[in-house]
Amino acid sequence: MKEIYNQIIENTKRIAADQEYFILPQIDNATVTTEEFEPTGPTLLKRKFIIQNSDGKIEVTYESRDKCRVNQINPDWNRVEILYSGINGDRETYTDGWSDKM
């Protein structure tokens, strides 16, 4: 599970550097569940991915927020939070954020 966690972090770093839309990488030997949240206020999109196998669990929360102001157009803000919980109680988190390309 730790390898999957590191793979998701590397993928997120690449996406943030390229200022792209977040996509979960292909994950083998684990169950992936996706939960969609209702957009509210400036939140345009919010998803939670739960990845589980016998070695632990990873929760990935992705959120895209509108940063527009009156008479001003700004790129959307993307935020990813990754929480790893190992079978023996290990816990790690990683958070990253970036603006969309204009």
Side-chain angles (χ1 to χ4, degrees), residues 59-96:
E59 293 183 26
V60 180
T61 305
Y62 169 67
E63 184 174 15
S64 178
R65 297 178 67 90
D66 187 3
K67 293 191 329 182
C68 288
R69 303 286 184 256
V70 176
N71 299 325
Q72 181 182 11
I73 298 176
N74 295 318
D76 294 339
W77 178 251
N78 298 280
R79 181 176 182 275
V80 174
E81 182 178 359
I82 306 166
L83 172 63
Y84 164 74
S85 303
I87 193 167
N88 57 357
D90 296 346
R91 292 179 62 91
E92 290 185 35
T93 61
Y94 175 83
T95 304
D96 202 347

Side-chain angles (χ1 to χ4, degrees), residues 2 9 13 18 23 26 29 34 43 61 65 85:
K2 182 70 172 185
I9 289 174
K13 287 179 181 179
D18 294 342
I23 298 173
Q26 177 67 34
N29 59 14
T34 304
T43 301
T61 305
R65 297 178 67 90
S85 303

Side-chain angles (χ1 to χ4, degrees), residues 4-5 19 22 33 38 41 48 51 70 72 76 84 86 89 99:
I4 295 171
Y5 173 73
Q19 296 177 302
F22 178 78
T33 306
E38 191 71 29
K48 180 182 264 188
I51 303 140
V70 176
Q72 181 182 11
D76 294 339
Y84 164 74
S99 294

